[in-house]
Amino acid sequence: TTTVTYNVLDVATGSLCFEGESAEDKITDTFGMVTGSPKTAIAKPANGYMFVGWAATETATDFSDNVSVEKNNGVYADSYTFYAKFIKDHATVTITKTIDKASSSDQSFILNISGKTYKNELLNVDVVIAIPAGQTSGCVKVVLPVSNVEYSISDQDGWNWRYKVKDNATITINGG
């Protein structure tokens, strides 16, 4: 017989099941080496998480959407083990804008956040930070899709005659 074992790398992030069966953090399928065929494992993310993919080792950094067990000379191997990876599907980021000198009136600044999400979708959003009169900083919380690439946060220059941009920032949000 052949045994295929599917594991969740971090049990708080998701679970696994076969069609019509209950979800667990580890599931096993056993079938005939010559005439059998493996069941398909279903990855179920926990609330607030998303499925990244499957790997053949616990320490893998590359994941694939699907795994398969292949026959070699018409026969399956004795055993296969796969690991499911889940990551958070979003992160809350606090962005703080600081100015050199307090003003006697409220000030607003437009920041642009751009980058690619984990699914390689482009993200481009503007946020406004208000700095109250007499203060030198203000902040805004932004919920962003988790990314394994960088998000660029840039101050939008030229829309306000009162200031010029000094520095922009880059952040990386990893879901693991």
Side-chain angles (χ1 to χ4, degrees):
T1 62
T2 296
T3 301
V4 182
T5 304
Y6 300 91
N7 301 283
V8 175
L9 286 173
D10 182 352
V11 296
T13 62
S15 60
L16 307 169
C17 70
F18 296 116
E19 186 69 41
E21 297 181 16
S22 61
E24 305 287 336
D25 59 347
K26 178 180 180 179
I27 56 176
T28 303
D29 181 26
T30 303
F31 55 93
M33 292 179 86
V34 177
T35 59
S37 61
K39 295 179 186 175
T40 300
I42 301 167
K44 295 185 166 196
N47 191 26
Y49 289 84
M50 66 183 193
F51 177 64
V52 173
W54 298 98
T57 66
E58 288 183 84
T59 57
T61 56
D62 291 329
F63 297 89
S64 64
D65 291 338
N66 300 301
V67 291
S68 61
V69 292
E70 303 291 332
K71 286 183 176 181
N72 187 7
N73 294 323
V75 179
Y76 290 109
D78 290 339
S79 66
Y80 301 88
T81 302
F82 300 106
Y83 298 88
K85 173 79 171 177
F86 300 92
I87 61 172
K88 288 186 177 188
D89 62 3
H90 69 278
T92 301
V93 177
T94 301
I95 301 170
T96 302
K97 171 73 176 172
T98 304
I99 57 176
D100 293 333
K101 183 179 172 186
S103 175
S104 59
S105 61
D106 293 347
Q107 296 187 60
S108 295
F109 299 87
I110 299 174
L111 302 180
N112 177 264
I113 303 170
S114 60
K116 289 187 178 179
T117 68
Y118 184 79
K119 297 281 188 183
N120 209 27
E121 299 162 336
L122 289 175
L123 175 89
N124 191 17
V125 64
D126 290 331
V127 295
V128 176
I129 294 183
I131 300 179
Q135 303 292 313
T136 57
S137 67
C139 69
V140 63
K141 288 188 178 189
V142 181
V143 177
L144 296 172
V146 167
S147 171
N148 284 338
V149 296
E150 295 177 332
Y151 281 120
S152 172
I153 301 173
S154 57
D155 223 329
Q156 296 302 297
D157 198 8
W159 72 274
N160 187 332
W161 59 270
R162 296 175 117 178
Y163 74 95
K164 294 289 181 204
V165 175
K166 284 186 179 179
D167 299 306
N168 290 313
T170 300
I171 60 171
T172 301
I173 303 172
N174 292 310

